[in-house]
Amino acid sequence: MSVFAAAMDRIFTHTSMAAPALWISATTSEERPIRIIRRAPDRVTDFGAGRFVSDTTVVDVRVADLPTPRPGDVIVIGADSHVIQGEPLRDRERLIWTLDLRPA
């Protein structure tokens, strides 16, 4: 295990940095508890001469916790359910998935 992988493991297990969530497969209904780091950046979209600002929900998940997320899978965070939209993206080290979510 690399030093970077060990650092990511510590971040994702720290209660102040990451939160528990539940992943549910859209195809098999398999469930798995995971740890996530939640981000909610605003996205700016240009349309002609106008600009639209929209809320987003993005989460980071360790590849070790969730090897194959797919669009349509559900992530339950507390009482809120979200659906993965778009293709999941991995970081350069192939340790972390970045998932773009929309409310279910």
Side-chain angles (χ1 to χ4, degrees):
M1 177 184 298
S2 72
V3 174
F4 188 71
M8 288 296 100
D9 286 343
R10 290 199 53 149
I11 289 171
F12 274 90
T13 56
H14 196 281
T15 56
S16 296
M17 298 289 291
L22 180 68
W23 166 81
I24 304 170
S25 171
T27 56
T28 64
S29 298
E30 174 189 357
E31 296 182 2
R32 178 180 302 172
I34 58 175
R35 304 272 307 163
I36 62 165
I37 296 177
R38 187 175 183 171
R39 298 181 281 139
D42 286 342
R43 242 184 225 145
V44 176
T45 306
D46 294 325
F47 184 76
R51 296 180 77 191
F52 297 97
V53 177
S54 58
D55 296 333
T56 63
T57 301
V58 177
V59 296
D60 292 332
V61 181
R62 288 185 299 182
V63 172
D65 288 347
L66 190 56
T68 55
R70 293 192 169 89
D73 290 352
V74 176
I75 305 286
V76 180
I77 306 167
D80 299 325
S81 295
H82 303 276
V83 176
I84 298 173
Q85 64 179 3
E87 288 298 319
L89 302 172
R90 284 187 292 178
D91 69 331
R92 187 181 78 173
E93 302 296 324
R94 303 293 193 233
L95 298 173
I96 307 296
W97 287 110
T98 298
L99 308 175
D100 190 11
L101 305 179
R102 65 175 169 78

